[in-house]
Amino acid sequence: MKQLLVLSALALAATSSMAAADEAMNKAGCMACHAKDKKVVGPAFKDIAAKYKGDKAAPAKLAEKVRKGGAGVWGPIPMPAHTPEKINDGDLKDAVDSILKS
């Protein structure tokens, strides 16, 4: 019984964290160019997760890419830099973690 309660609490915390990450990505404008399962202007989150699967450095790489912006990895359209005013460090970490779990 205790195991079931612990597992339920962990599942609820994960769901809450994912919802917070989704809210942060919406607020920061990520969803204007990305979607979870299809290419929009930028790649789908599931494609990003697949590309970086097993790469332990991926969270830091992706956070840096969001902060600095970039172009050429997924096509010719550049991704603008996203400053801490647009998405704070905690929300950025949650967003990257959520993307990598897509």
Side-chain angles (χ1 to χ4, degrees), residues 5-101:
L5 289 173
V6 169
L7 290 174
S8 295
L10 289 173
L12 182 60
T15 302
S16 175
S17 178
M18 289 179 75
D22 286 349
E23 184 178 329
M25 288 188 287
N26 279 321
K27 184 178 171 188
C30 304
M31 305 312 285
C33 296
H34 298 277
K36 291 184 181 208
D37 59 358
K38 66 181 179 187
K39 179 179 178 10
V40 183
V41 174
F45 293 150
K46 70 177 181 119
D47 294 334
I48 296 168
K51 178 180 178 108
Y52 290 97
K53 185 177 181 173
D55 182 349
K56 297 202 184 299
K61 286 180 195 175
L62 292 176
E64 181 178 2
K65 190 172 290 233
V66 170
R67 284 286 180 239
K68 292 182 176 178
V73 175
W74 296 94
I77 299 173
M79 181 176 76
H82 291 73
T83 64
E85 292 78 28
K86 192 160 193 162
I87 184 167
N88 68 49
D89 289 340
D91 287 344
L92 177 56
K93 181 189 179 312
D94 290 345
V96 168
D97 289 346
S98 176
I99 290 166
L100 291 172
K101 291 176 184 172

